[in-house]
Structure formats: C-alpha cells, structure tokens
Amino acid sequence: MSPQTSGYLRIVRASAWYDLVVTAGFATPWTYVLVHRALSSLGTFPPTDTIQILYANLMGSVVVVWALLRLFRTLPLHGLYDGIARVLFATWQTYALTQGATKLLVLFLVFEVSFGLVQLLPWLTDAVRARARTQPVRPSAR
C-alpha cells in the first residue's frame, strides 16, 4: 500500500481516533483524576501530584490537537510524522516498562508499535522502490 492511497489515509484516521479516545481523558486536570482513578484500580499507580497532572495534561492536550488535525485535514505526510512519533512513544514506554512501570502499559505499547509500523512501512517501501528505480544498471561481470 502506498501512502498516497485512500486505504493509507483510513489508517491515519484510525490512529487519530485511537489517540483521541485514549488520550482525551488526560487533557484536563478534572478528567485526568478520573482516568488515574480508573487505571489505579487495574494496577499500581503512584498517587497524583501537581507535576504529574501537569505533564499528563500537556501530553493529553497535544495528542488531542494532533489527532484532530489528522481527522479533519488528513494527509499522507501526517501518517509519516505520526509513525515517527509512535516510534518515540514506544521507545519511552519500553523504557518505562524496564524501569518497573505497570504491565498495563504493554497494551498501549502494542497499539503504538502496530500503528507505527502500518504508517511507516509504506513510506519505507516507496523509498526503497524509488531508490531502485534511480540506481544505474550495472553490467554483469563476465
């Protein structure tokens, strides 16, 4: 699948919907307290403090805005950038897991890696094909 196809744009929008659903609750202090309470019932979470809430709200706000952009102005390039961001998120989630974070994080890691792969692989495939087309044909060594 090429990044220029409608199927690819559907994947970009699907990843945006996922982000919106998963992170909207992090965008305000009031909703984050509810999300924290719900997640704490599933695993061990540290108690909330002002700085933790601030960073959760910053992350939630930025991801919500990014998701809305991908929903209302979907472009192939948004899939590339989102794929790169997911590599970063997956890296930090993996780091957190190695440092003892709740295993519940694995569920989110699976989505980050999955959406990252399906958004980046078409770009990588196109780049490899373009490079192969521009490579000069070498004569065989006979």
Side-chain angles (χ1 to χ4, degrees):
M1 172 187 315
S2 168
Q4 307 308 319
T5 65
S6 62
Y8 183 78
L9 295 179
R10 279 194 297 275
I11 291 168
V12 173
R13 281 190 288 277
S15 74
W17 277 113
Y18 165 78
D19 286 346
L20 198 56
V21 168
V22 170
T23 60
F26 289 83
T28 73
W30 308 278
T31 53
Y32 176 67
V33 169
L34 299 174
V35 169
H36 185 276
R37 193 175 301 147
L39 291 173
S40 293
S41 70
L42 300 174
T44 306
F45 273 67
T48 59
D49 64 37
T50 306
I51 296 298
Q52 178 194 82
I53 293 171
L54 170 67
Y55 279 106
N57 297 159
L58 291 172
M59 182 271 308
S61 298
V62 169
V63 173
V64 164
V65 170
W66 174 238
L68 291 172
L69 172 70
R70 288 178 289 141
L71 286 172
F72 294 109
R73 293 284 188 251
T74 313
L75 296 173
L77 193 59
H78 295 158
L80 173 64
Y81 288 139
D82 192 59
I84 293 166
R86 288 182 188 282
V87 168
L88 293 170
F89 270 62
T91 300
W92 308 142
Q93 289 172 342
T94 301
Y95 175 78
L97 284 165
T98 66
Q99 300 303 305
T102 177
K103 300 300 181 220
L104 181 62
L105 192 55
V106 171
L107 177 65
F108 298 99
L109 178 61
V110 167
F111 279 96
E112 292 301 322
V113 170
S114 298
F115 275 125
L117 284 174
V118 297
Q119 290 182 112
L120 289 176
L121 284 177
W123 287 94
L124 295 171
T125 303
D126 275 7
V128 168
R129 286 183 185 145
R131 185 174 172 100
R133 284 192 301 267
T134 61
Q135 292 287 322
V137 178
R138 296 184 178 174
S140 61
R142 286 190 173 189

